[in-house]
Amino acid sequence: MKSITIKGSQRESVGKAASKALRNAGQVPCVLYGGDNVLHFSAPELAFKNIVYTPNVYTAAIELNGKTYNAILQDIQFDPVSDKIIHIDFYQLHKDKEITIEVPIQIEGTSPGIMAGGTLRIVNRKLKVKALPDNLPDFVPVDISGLEMGNKLYVTKLAQDKYKIMHPDNTVVCQVRVSRAAMKAAQDAAKAEKAATKK
């Protein structure tokens, strides 16, 4: 999984007044959990644009006082009026500890059902996966080349090499629906066939 570097400054004061002063200075108050100690730090708001405003999922390499901590974004709070980031929680990653995270799916292949006039409906755009940090995927590949019209693709059909998909076996990822045009064409063909047999 790709990583984004965030250069932060450890903060001593953690009260509401200190947090407000940081925000006024264009900084975002953050907390890093999961280590020996909880770390409070801040970083410029612009440092988070590539990790927050994207459909992709990244890990964060947080640089504090010459040390680097690998983490994932756990929670984020936005101002309800201005929509600016007001607080972020990170969770520290450890090489030997598995973690569960949501990653996007990536559709691959060509479905015969779509070629025949069906439409693809994506039911789950993101899936929860569990893996060691080094094995976290950027996305889960979803091969639709075997889907005929009316078929559904379940999570059990997806590759799970170095990670485990944390959804029940009956979870539908996507399906090829019969489009109105295809349905009408089938009805018209049936009518034509019926009329032909009457002659």
Side-chain angles (χ1 to χ4, degrees):
M1 184 173 278
K2 295 186 186 80
S3 180
I4 285 173
T5 301
I6 294 165
K7 293 182 179 179
S9 306
Q10 208 157 335
R11 53 193 180 110
E12 305 303 324
S13 308
V14 294
K16 281 186 179 177
S19 295
K20 191 177 178 184
L22 280 170
R23 290 186 198 108
N24 289 341
Q27 299 279 315
V28 177
C30 303
V31 181
L32 176 64
Y33 295 99
D36 296 331
N37 299 302
V38 174
L39 294 174
H40 296 267
F41 70 98
S42 65
E45 193 176 356
L46 280 173
F48 302 104
K49 66 179 172 60
N50 291 331
I51 201 169
V52 174
Y53 306 107
T54 172
N56 302 321
V57 180
Y58 299 101
T59 56
I62 300 166
E63 293 183 1
L64 294 174
N65 301 340
K67 270 181 138 184
T68 301
Y69 303 88
N70 290 316
I72 56 162
L73 195 151
Q74 193 173 43
D75 189 41
I76 184 163
Q77 292 169 24
F78 294 94
D79 185 286
V81 179
S82 67
D83 216 29
K84 288 179 80 167
I85 303 167
I86 55 173
H87 185 88
I88 298 180
D89 286 341
F90 287 93
Y91 189 82
Q92 190 174 340
L93 297 173
H94 301 276
K95 277 186 174 292
D96 57 343
K97 281 188 186 173
E98 287 188 320
I99 187 139
T100 302
I101 188 173
E102 272 197 342
V103 296
I105 64 164
Q106 181 167 292
I107 300 293
E108 297 177 352
T110 306
S111 156
I114 294 171
M115 298 293 281
T119 54
L120 183 69
R121 177 173 174 257
I122 297 173
V123 182
N124 285 289
R125 292 187 179 277
K126 285 188 174 183
L127 294 173
K128 272 187 186 173
V129 301
K130 186 178 185 179
L132 292 169
D134 286 349
N135 294 335
L136 287 171
D138 291 316
F139 56 84
V140 176
V142 175
D143 185 2
I144 61 168
S145 55
L147 287 184
E148 299 287 351
M149 208 179 296
N151 286 175
K152 293 177 179 177
L153 186 73
Y154 295 92
V155 289
T156 48
K157 295 290 183 187
L158 304 181
Q160 300 185 46
D161 298 334
K162 294 182 177 178
Y163 54 85
K164 186 182 177 192
I165 296 174
M166 306 300 287
H167 290 269
D169 289 352
N170 63 351
T171 303
V172 177
V173 182
C174 60
Q175 64 185 108
V176 177
R177 297 170 82 171
V178 181
S179 65
R180 284 181 186 166
M183 204 180 283
K184 188 175 183 306
Q187 286 168 348
D188 290 348
K191 279 179 191 172
E193 198 177 316
K194 202 173 182 183
T197 53
K198 281 183 179 177
K199 285 180 182 176

